[in-house]
C-alpha cells in the first residue's frame, strides 16, 4: 500500500473491482452496493468495475455453441458483453434502493478504447471524461468490466478475467496509485488452499512474482492486469468481498540485493502439449502471436516440434495452425506445476531438488522449463495435485518467516 506523498486530497477517488462470485446473486449484489455506499459516505468517490454474475459468461458461451459450431468472434463479443451490463444495471438499482445513487456505464460509455482483436482485445486508451462527470454529480460509477470499443465502434472483450485489467487500467487513467480487487478468496496464497490445506496467505507479493504466479495458473488475478500494474506503477489489493479483513498487496518489489527465495507453487490441472511436423518454432510462435497468444514451451524432438500454448484451448490452437497445412497432435492428459520465486537462475538446486523429489514419488515430467523467476514441470494430469503438495512441502512454504521478511514494510492494511 502506498504511504506518504502529502495530505490526501478531498474526496479521493477509489477504483474497486467485484468478481463474478462477489455479485453472483441479488444478495451479493446488495452487499457490494452496501460496501460502495459506506465508502462514499466515508468521503470517497467510488468507481466500481463489475464482472458478470456468477457463471453467466460460461452460460452465454454454451448458448452460443447451441446455435453455431463456430460463432463469429465479433458476435460472440457482442453476446458476452451483456453479462457485465446486467451486473452493473442491477447494482445501480440496488444502490438506489439503499438510498444512494449510482450510474452504470458500458465500456463504450466509460471511454475504454481497444484494438479490433475480438475475444482478446488490447487496451489502447481510456478517456474517463464521462466517469469524472458522473462522479462530480455525486454518483457511484459502475463500469462494465471485460470490454471496450474497437476503432470501428464494435464491442470487444479483453479475454478471460479481463475485468481485472479493466479495473487496473481505469485506476491508471484516473491517476491513482492503487486498485482494490474484491473476490471470493481473502488474498494470494503460497499454493491453492483447496489443494494444499497448509498453504499460507501472503501479506504482500512483488508484482513480477505475481505475474509469474498468475501466468502459471494462480487464478486470483489475470496476468494482463498485473502487467498493467507494473507498467503504470499501480498497487493492487486482493481481498475478500465477504469480510473486512486485509488481503494481499501486489506491490513493487523491495530492495532485495541477493535474495533468491521461493514465493509459491502454482498449477494448471490441464495444459496440453502439442506436436507438429513441417512447421518451425518461429512459424508456430508467429501464428499464435497473430491470435494474441504466446507460446509457452517449445522444443524440437525427433523431427517434431513440441510446444505448449497456455491460455488457448485445443480447438483454437489447431484452427490457428490449420492455414499452414500443419497436422497437430494433442496430448491433453498433462498439466503444469510451477515453482515461482526471485532470481531462481542463481538457484540451480531448486530444479534439481524438485526433480529428485518428483522422481522419488514416481512422477516423470514430460517437459521442464526454467526462467529467472520460475521452474515449470509438465507432468501427467492425474499427478498434478500430488506434485503441488509435494513441492510446497519440499520448499517449506508453509513457514512464512523468511518470505514475509522480503516485503516487510511494503504491505499495508
Amino acid at each position: 500500500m502506498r504511504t506518504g506523498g502529502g495530505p490526501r486530497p478531498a474526496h479521493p477517488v477509489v477504483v474497486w473491482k467485484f468478481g463474478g462470485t462477489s455479485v453472483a446473486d441479488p444478495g451479493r449484489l446488495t452487499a457490494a452496493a452496501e460496501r460502495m455506499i459506506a465508502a462514499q459516505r466515508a468521503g470517497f468517490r467510488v468507481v466500481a468495475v463489475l464482472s458478470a454474475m456468477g457463471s453467466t459468461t460460461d452460460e452465454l458461451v454454451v448458448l452460443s455453441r447451441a446455435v453455431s459450431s463456430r460463432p463469429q468472434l465479433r458476435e460472440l463479443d457482442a453476446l458476452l458483453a451483456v453479462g457485465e451490463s446486467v451486473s452493473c444495471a442491477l447494482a445501480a438499482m440496488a444502490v438506489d434502493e439503499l438510498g444512494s445513487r449510482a450510474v452504470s456505464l458500458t465500456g463504450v460509455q466509460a471511454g475504454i478504447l481497444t484494438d479490433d482483436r475480438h475475444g482478446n482485445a488490447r487496451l489502447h486508451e481510456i478517456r474517463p471524461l464521462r466517469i469524472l462527470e458522473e462522479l462530480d454529480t455525486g454518483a457511484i460509477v459502475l463500469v462494465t468490466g471485460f470490454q471496450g470499443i474497437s476503432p470501428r465502434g464494435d464491442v470487444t472483450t479483453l479475454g478471460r478475467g479481463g475485468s481485472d485489467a479493466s479495473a487496473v487500467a481505469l485506476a491508471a487513467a484516473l491517476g491513482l496509485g492503487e486498485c482494490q480487487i474484491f473476490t471470493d478468496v481473502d488474498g494470494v496464497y503460497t499454493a491453492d488452499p483447496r489443494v494444499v490445506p497448509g498453504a499460507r496467505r501472503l501479506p504482500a507479493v512483488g508484482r513480477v512474482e505475481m505475474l509469474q504466479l498468475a501466468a502459471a495458473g494462480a487464478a486470483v488475478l489475470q496476468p494482463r492486469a498485473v502487467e498493467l500494474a507494473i507498467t503504470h506503477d499501480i498497487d493492487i489489493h486482493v481481498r475478500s468481498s465477504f469480510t473486512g479483513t486485509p488481503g494481499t498487496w501486489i506491490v513493487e518489489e523491495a530492495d532485495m540485493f541477493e535474495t533468491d527465495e521461493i514465493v509459491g507453487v502454482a498449477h494448471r490441472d490441464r495444459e496440453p502439449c502439442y506436436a507438429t511436423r513441417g512447421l518451425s518454432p518461429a512459424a508456430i510462435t508467429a501464428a499464435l502471436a497473430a491470435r494474441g497468444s504466446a507460446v509457452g514451451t517449445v522444443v524440437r524432438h525427433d523431427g517434431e516440434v513440441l510446444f505448449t500454448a497456455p491460455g488457448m484451448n485445443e480447438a483454437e490452437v489447431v484452427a490457428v495452425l490449420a492455414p499452414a497445412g500443419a497436422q497437430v497432435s494433442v496430448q491433453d492428459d498433462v498439466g503444469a506445476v510451477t515453482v515461482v520465486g526471485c532470481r531462481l537462475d542463481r538457484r540451480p538446486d531448486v530444479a534439481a531438488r524438485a526433480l529428485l523429489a518428483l522422481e522419488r514419488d514416481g512422477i516423470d515430467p514430460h517437459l521442464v522449463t526454467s526462467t529467472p523467476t520460475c521452474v515449470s514441470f509438465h507432468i501427467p494430469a492425474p499427478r498434478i495435485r500430488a506434485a503441488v503438495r509435494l513441492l510446497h512441502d519440499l520448499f517449506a512454504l508453509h513457514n512464512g518467516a523468511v518470505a514475509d521478511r522480503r516485503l516487510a514494510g511494503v504491505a499495508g492494511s
Side-chain angles (χ1 to χ4, degrees), residues 6-13 43:
R8 188 166 65 184
H11 305 298
V13 178

mmCIF file of all heavy atoms in Angstrom, residues 6-13 43:
data_model
loop_
_atom_site.group_PDB
_atom_site.id
_atom_site.type_symbol
_atom_site.label_atom_id
_atom_site.label_comp_id
_atom_site.label_asym_id
_atom_site.label_seq_id
_atom_site.Cartn_x
_atom_site.Cartn_y
_atom_site.Cartn_z
ATOM 1 N N GLY A 6 2.244 13.446 1.054
ATOM 2 C CA GLY A 6 1.494 14.633 1.402
ATOM 3 C C GLY A 6 0.072 14.324 1.809
ATOM 4 O O GLY A 6 -0.349 13.175 1.852
ATOM 5 N N PRO A 7 -0.714 15.368 2.107
ATOM 6 C CA PRO A 7 -2.084 15.159 2.574
ATOM 7 C C PRO A 7 -2.966 14.560 1.487
ATOM 8 O O PRO A 7 -2.784 14.821 0.303
ATOM 9 C CB PRO A 7 -2.542 16.579 2.946
ATOM 10 C CG PRO A 7 -1.679 17.479 2.117
ATOM 11 C CD PRO A 7 -0.353 16.792 2.030
ATOM 12 N N ARG A 8 -3.924 13.755 1.914
ATOM 13 C CA ARG A 8 -4.842 13.137 0.965
ATOM 14 C C ARG A 8 -5.810 14.192 0.435
ATOM 15 O O ARG A 8 -6.342 14.987 1.190
ATOM 16 C CB ARG A 8 -5.609 12.011 1.659
ATOM 17 C CG ARG A 8 -6.446 11.177 0.717
ATOM 18 C CD ARG A 8 -6.899 9.915 1.390
ATOM 19 N NE ARG A 8 -7.805 10.193 2.494
ATOM 20 C CZ ARG A 8 -8.285 9.263 3.308
ATOM 21 N NH1 ARG A 8 -7.906 8.013 3.180
ATOM 22 N NH2 ARG A 8 -9.110 9.602 4.278
ATOM 23 N N PRO A 9 -6.037 14.222 -0.882
ATOM 24 C CA PRO A 9 -6.936 15.234 -1.434
ATOM 25 C C PRO A 9 -8.370 15.007 -0.959
ATOM 26 O O PRO A 9 -8.755 13.912 -0.567
ATOM 27 C CB PRO A 9 -6.814 15.011 -2.948
ATOM 28 C CG PRO A 9 -6.386 13.585 -3.087
ATOM 29 C CD PRO A 9 -5.498 13.325 -1.918
ATOM 30 N N ALA A 10 -9.153 16.106 -0.971
ATOM 31 C CA ALA A 10 -10.551 15.991 -0.567
ATOM 32 C C ALA A 10 -11.284 15.071 -1.537
ATOM 33 O O ALA A 10 -11.057 15.124 -2.744
ATOM 34 C CB ALA A 10 -11.185 17.385 -0.561
ATOM 35 N N HIS A 11 -12.165 14.247 -0.991
ATOM 36 C CA HIS A 11 -12.992 13.348 -1.796
ATOM 37 C C HIS A 11 -12.161 12.555 -2.805
ATOM 38 O O HIS A 11 -12.345 12.664 -4.018
ATOM 39 C CB HIS A 11 -14.087 14.126 -2.518
ATOM 40 C CG HIS A 11 -14.931 14.949 -1.591
ATOM 41 N ND1 HIS A 11 -15.686 14.387 -0.584
ATOM 42 C CD2 HIS A 11 -15.123 16.290 -1.505
ATOM 43 C CE1 HIS A 11 -16.324 15.349 0.085
ATOM 44 N NE2 HIS A 11 -15.993 16.503 -0.448
ATOM 45 N N PRO A 12 -11.215 11.761 -2.326
ATOM 46 C CA PRO A 12 -10.376 10.984 -3.235
ATOM 47 C C PRO A 12 -11.194 9.911 -3.968
ATOM 48 O O PRO A 12 -12.210 9.418 -3.454
ATOM 49 C CB PRO A 12 -9.345 10.339 -2.305
ATOM 50 C CG PRO A 12 -10.046 10.264 -0.984
ATOM 51 C CD PRO A 12 -10.899 11.492 -0.913
ATOM 52 N N VAL A 13 -10.724 9.555 -5.153
ATOM 53 C CA VAL A 13 -11.370 8.533 -5.963
ATOM 54 C C VAL A 13 -10.772 7.169 -5.613
ATOM 55 O O VAL A 13 -9.560 7.040 -5.427
ATOM 56 C CB VAL A 13 -11.177 8.810 -7.458
ATOM 57 C CG1 VAL A 13 -11.816 7.697 -8.310
ATOM 58 C CG2 VAL A 13 -11.770 10.164 -7.837
ATOM 59 N N GLY A 43 -16.461 9.533 2.525
ATOM 60 C CA GLY A 43 -15.767 10.619 1.837
ATOM 61 C C GLY A 43 -15.056 10.251 0.561
ATOM 62 O O GLY A 43 -14.327 11.071 -0.002
#
